[in-house]
Amino acid sequence: LRHGDIFSLVFGASLTSALALSILAAFMGRSRDLVSFSRGDLAGLLNPVAYYLVLLSAYDRLPATQALAINYTWVLSLALLSVLFLGQRFSLRLAAGLAAGYAGVFLVAAGRADSLGGASDAAGIALAFLSTWIWAAYWVFNARRTQDPLPSLARQFIAGSAAAALLWAVFSRRVSLPGAAGAAYLGIMEMGVSFFTWLCALRLTRHPARLGALVFLSPVLSLLWISLVLGESVGALTLAGMSLILTGVALSRRTAA
């Protein structure tokens, strides 16, 4: 974001990811399916467009540790939406796991209490929470589809790239080499192949809530990288919050077993 704005970053990353997924689909002999567009491919408006516009806006307003913690509540959102729309069972143990996870995320978010006072931070927190529901809704929608996941995901990103290009042309039109490099990295590492492998895992499992709970382990490594690369401190509240999050993971895993 130091080398461009949110619209140019989302457009560049979406385009890069669409190209990567299309090349992967063609390499696997599924190029014909890339042109079989349907209304379901409009889910690309949710992800990458809406999700990353909202998420990057939140990261632009909040400390990385705070935004990271709130963003990882998408796992809880996925568990709840799985109960509502995928027929997963809601139990007291799952409720306890969700409560522990949300309490832990709150402690992590409050770990920098000095950053919670401004209106911009309140907006950033709201945006971060909104992004979790957009993300969870997108993957629940895809879990219900029966089409081949790779070309389906590529078509969604092609549709998303077209929408992101329109937004970029209207609101931005900024272009820079460092910004383009960052967008390409985001498109490959954050989106692209990573999305494809996650979608395959989500479709193969009979327990999306359990699969989502496992992702709660990654914030620990993410906080480590934030501390090392960005120099943000990891305080006692953050560590206590992570302990609660891992407790929620354990409870959710037992529920889904």
Side-chain angles (χ1 to χ4, degrees), residues 37-256:
F37 284 92
S38 65
R39 287 184 297 178
D41 297 325
L42 293 177
L45 300 179
L46 279 179
N47 179 52
V49 181
Y51 173 69
Y52 278 99
L53 286 175
V54 172
L55 178 64
L56 292 175
S57 296
Y59 269 97
D60 197 32
R61 293 172 177 264
L62 299 173
T65 52
Q66 188 177 358
L68 170 75
I70 297 174
N71 176 246
Y72 270 101
T73 63
W74 75 264
V75 180
L76 305 180
S77 303
L78 178 62
L80 290 172
L81 291 182
S82 296
V83 170
L84 293 175
F85 298 107
L86 298 180
Q88 299 299 304
R89 184 174 62 90
F90 188 87
S91 65
L92 290 177
R93 188 180 292 275
L94 177 57
L98 293 172
Y102 274 123
V105 169
F106 174 78
L107 286 181
V108 174
R112 290 191 54 171
D114 59 316
S115 68
L116 296 177
S120 62
D121 292 318
I125 291 172
L127 288 168
F129 272 113
L130 176 60
S131 73
T132 69
W133 290 99
I134 296 174
W135 180 261
Y138 172 78
W139 289 112
V140 167
F141 171 80
N142 274 297
R144 297 172 68 93
R145 300 189 75 188
T146 58
Q147 299 181 6
D148 190 335
L150 178 55
S152 175
L153 194 59
R155 293 194 305 268
Q156 290 176 4
F157 270 75
I158 291 172
S161 297
L166 179 61
L167 292 173
W168 172 79
V170 172
F171 297 107
S172 173
R173 297 189 180 182
R174 292 183 60 181
V175 178
S176 70
L177 183 58
Y185 175 85
L186 180 65
I188 296 296
M189 302 301 294
E190 172 74 13
M191 305 179 188
V193 178
S194 301
F195 280 8
F196 170 62
T197 54
W198 167 249
L199 180 58
C200 289
L202 191 61
R203 288 187 173 184
L204 290 173
T205 184
R206 291 181 296 175
H207 302 288
R210 179 179 183 180
L211 183 64
L214 294 177
V215 184
F216 257 139
L217 298 176
S218 62
V220 178
L221 296 177
S222 298
L223 285 176
L224 176 62
W225 281 111
I226 288 174
S227 177
L228 293 176
V229 177
L230 299 181
E232 290 189 14
S233 60
V234 181
L237 282 178
T238 299
L239 295 176
M242 280 302 172
S243 297
L244 281 175
I245 288 173
L246 294 178
T247 300
V249 170
L251 290 172
S252 298
R253 289 187 65 183
R254 291 180 183 179
T255 300

